[in-house]
Amino acid sequence: YLVGRIEGKNLLFRDRTDSYMLHGYDDEMNQLFEKKVELKNRRARILDVIPGQNDFTVVYRYFKKGRIEVFAQRISPEGDTLASQMISQFNPRVNNFMEVHRSQDRSKLMIVDTDLGKRIFVTVFDLDNFTVLWDRSFTPPDFSFERDFLDAEIDNQGNGYLILEKDNRKSKR
């Protein structure tokens, strides 16, 4: 994952099979450093890497005691952990869908997941304050995730929007 330029360093976050590495480069792309980054679990699945002004945040998930835990970890340009926060826990029966959406100003994060295509789980996380703003689950009537879901959006205030498409198949016959 290309993190970007933070504090005069071009940063690259690498997800290896059993470890996570942060590489720093100068303007001529000469490597300045390489540092191993410790996440809560060695087999975490990276969902997103979000650059900030003076740091970056890695959002990842992993299995722990029969549950899926989603974490956000704020990391300095030197590879040190500044903060870590659990965003949400999901039942393992929940699909492996799990989409991550960012607000335009990159201050809010929305995670959308589904339970076998029927129930929708939405969690909104504030990246500036490192807190969960809201967490909801609901079941829309006569809903199939694969058939009806198109996209999700989040605004800069933390309001989430799900974009669904509902076709009236009976009238097409």
Side-chain angles (χ1 to χ4, degrees):
Y1 299 89
L2 184 60
V3 177
R5 187 173 177 82
I6 300 176
E7 292 185 0
K9 300 176 193 116
N10 298 305
L11 300 177
L12 176 69
F13 183 79
R14 293 194 57 201
D15 178 3
R16 295 199 172 154
T17 307
D18 61 344
S19 65
Y20 307 93
M21 302 296 290
L22 180 65
H23 300 269
Y25 298 91
D26 63 14
D27 290 333
E28 284 79 39
M29 295 307 291
N30 297 315
Q31 187 168 349
L32 298 173
F33 67 91
E34 175 180 279
K35 183 172 182 185
K36 186 174 182 178
V37 175
E38 297 293 330
L39 301 180
K40 295 270 186 201
N41 189 299
R42 286 184 302 140
R43 296 186 316 174
R45 180 172 164 219
I46 306 298
L47 299 174
D48 205 357
V49 176
I50 303 135
Q53 196 160 357
N54 300 319
D55 52 33
F56 66 97
T57 302
V58 177
V59 179
Y60 59 95
R61 73 179 208 174
Y62 63 89
F63 286 94
K64 182 180 179 183
K65 296 182 182 177
R67 311 265 310 156
I68 298 172
E69 294 187 352
V70 180
F71 266 82
Q73 189 162 323
R74 185 174 287 158
I75 300 172
S76 73
E78 292 77 32
D80 302 318
T81 297
L82 302 174
S84 182
Q85 176 68 40
M86 184 191 310
I87 297 175
S88 190
Q89 285 186 335
F90 293 98
N91 190 322
R93 285 182 283 155
V94 172
N95 234 351
N96 279 337
F97 169 74
M98 203 170 288
E99 275 191 5
V100 176
H101 301 271
R102 291 186 254 172
S103 62
Q104 188 175 6
D105 67 358
R106 295 182 178 203
S107 68
K108 309 292 185 291
L109 185 76
M110 181 169 68
I111 298 172
V112 179
D113 206 353
T114 179
D115 184 1
L116 304 174
K118 297 291 181 191
R119 193 165 164 194
I120 298 175
F121 301 88
V122 181
T123 303
V124 172
F125 187 73
D126 186 337
L127 291 164
D128 292 336
N129 299 320
F130 243 57
T131 57
V132 174
L133 293 179
W134 55 271
D135 188 21
R136 303 279 188 280
S137 66
F138 57 94
T139 307
D142 189 33
F143 176 75
S144 168
F145 195 82
E146 293 81 18
R147 180 187 70 211
D148 300 333
F149 182 80
L150 285 180
D151 201 5
E153 293 291 329
I154 181 169
D155 63 20
N156 294 338
Q157 289 73 41
N159 300 310
Y161 305 93
L162 298 179
I163 302 166
L164 307 176
E165 176 182 61
K166 195 70 172 168
D167 288 333
N168 186 350
R169 287 179 173 73
K170 290 180 183 177
S171 68
K172 290 183 179 180
R173 292 181 196 178

